[in-house]
Amino acid sequence: MEKSISLISLPDQFNAATYFIDRHHQEGRDGKVAIECGNNSTTYRELREQVNRFGNGLRKLGVKNGERILLLLLDTPEFAVSFFGAIKIGAIPIPVNTFLASQEYEYLLNDSEASVLIVSSSLLPKVQFTTQRTLRSLKHILVVGQEGSQEINFKNFIEENSSELEAIPTNKDDVAFWIYSSGSTGHPKACVHLQHDMVVCSERFAKGILNMTERDRCFSVSRLFFAYGLGNALYYPLSVGAASILTPEPP
């Protein structure tokens, strides 16, 4: 006899950042480690505060609800901060493959009409050539690590902003983020994910199949810019209050 699956009930007004980030404060996990990366660890409180600072910073830059933010980032805590900070203010983060060529990033920036690019310093040369070309919408580049003369330093950017931020009241069926396809049959295409999608995956697979709990430590060989890795190493552990183990470079 097949096991029945109950529906996941979410309120119409729902922002994914409240579920994956803010909820842990109410549930007493402020001091628990959320992310380990090398010798550094980030607690759930620190993650929440950095997400809020980043979201407030995007607002200062004039980023509005529905604007796209391109994430060309290695697997570091800044990825999580950028991803959920954008979602919290209704902007749409787009994690992209870190192994592409400059002209491919030019295509992704123009196709998505991203107004902000967040990039790891080691990947900056890939887009410095690109940014000399005609880009329709890009206004700001934030660099994680050492920046050039024309970019904004990510660490300084978030430190200048308040650690308090209310999530914008999005609908559970509003867009949360995009991930581009590989483009094996043509140009990559944006795959749209809604505010409730990560919750459904977490409840059905992370909890329902993997039986994940807050005692777990999660590591994924698949990188965060892949949909599979994004779940395994980011929102699955965050859904249960577990720890995510990140490595900036592939093992």
Side-chain angles (χ1 to χ4, degrees):
M1 182 177 180
E2 289 189 8
K3 181 180 178 181
S4 63
I5 299 178
S6 60
L7 295 176
I8 296 172
S9 178
L10 292 175
D12 287 340
Q13 181 178 309
F14 177 78
N15 184 297
T18 62
Y19 178 89
F20 291 97
I21 302 298
D22 298 344
R23 173 172 59 90
H24 300 293
H25 173 64
Q26 285 77 35
E27 295 182 0
R29 297 191 185 93
D30 277 356
K32 191 176 185 300
V33 171
I35 297 173
E36 292 183 18
C37 185
N39 295 323
N40 299 317
S41 62
T42 304
T43 66
Y44 274 94
R45 176 184 61 79
E46 291 168 334
L47 179 59
R48 184 183 74 254
E49 290 180 350
Q50 290 174 28
V51 163
N52 291 345
R53 291 181 190 277
F54 181 76
N56 282 321
L58 288 182
R59 283 182 170 172
K60 282 186 180 179
L61 293 179
V63 174
K64 297 179 174 57
N65 185 19
E67 283 193 41
R68 272 74 66 196
I69 310 297
L70 207 75
L71 310 185
L72 178 55
L73 293 170
L74 301 175
D75 286 11
T76 63
E78 289 84 2
F79 186 112
V81 170
S82 302
F83 185 78
F84 284 107
I87 289 175
K88 195 163 186 178
I89 67 163
I92 300 171
I94 309 173
V96 296
N97 192 323
T98 58
F99 298 105
L100 303 180
S102 292
Q103 63 269 24
E104 294 173 285
Y105 294 121
E106 179 185 3
Y107 168 79
L108 294 174
L109 284 163
N110 277 328
D111 185 70
S112 65
E113 298 183 338
S115 61
V116 179
L117 168 66
I118 319 295
V119 56
S120 295
S121 58
S122 63
L123 302 172
L124 185 58
K126 289 191 172 189
V127 292
Q128 283 179 318
F129 174 76
T130 297
T131 54
Q132 297 172 10
R133 299 169 181 262
T134 301
L135 295 174
R136 292 193 293 268
S137 303
L138 186 64
K139 300 175 183 176
H140 306 283
I141 299 176
L142 278 66
V143 180
V144 176
Q146 181 63 42
E147 80 279 11
S149 60
Q150 303 300 314
E151 295 84 33
I152 302 170
N153 178 269
F154 185 93
K155 184 174 183 292
N156 295 339
F157 175 76
I158 64 172
E159 286 180 348
E160 296 170 353
N161 301 299
S162 170
S163 62
E164 298 295 329
L165 176 65
E166 289 292 326
I168 191 171
T170 50
N171 186 279
K172 65 182 179 181
D173 295 322
D174 285 342
V175 176
F177 65 98
W178 296 0
I179 289 186
Y180 273 87
S181 66
S182 62
S184 57
T185 59
H187 284 304
K189 298 174 179 61
C191 304
V192 176
H193 298 256
L194 308 182
Q195 293 286 343
H196 71 266
D197 287 344
M198 289 185 288
V199 179
V200 173
C201 288
S202 297
E203 294 291 332
R204 288 287 173 258
F205 186 68
K207 297 181 184 180
I209 302 298
L210 300 180
N211 296 316
M212 286 179 61
T213 73
E214 64 180 340
R215 297 186 298 276
D216 287 316
R217 294 161 55 80
C218 305
F219 172 76
S220 175
V221 174
S222 180
R223 314 310 289 172
L224 289 176
F225 62 76
F226 290 116
Y228 189 64
L230 185 65
N232 289 343
L234 188 62
Y235 68 81
Y236 287 171
L238 293 183
S239 73
V240 296
S244 172
I245 313 301
L246 299 181
T247 56
E249 301 294 345

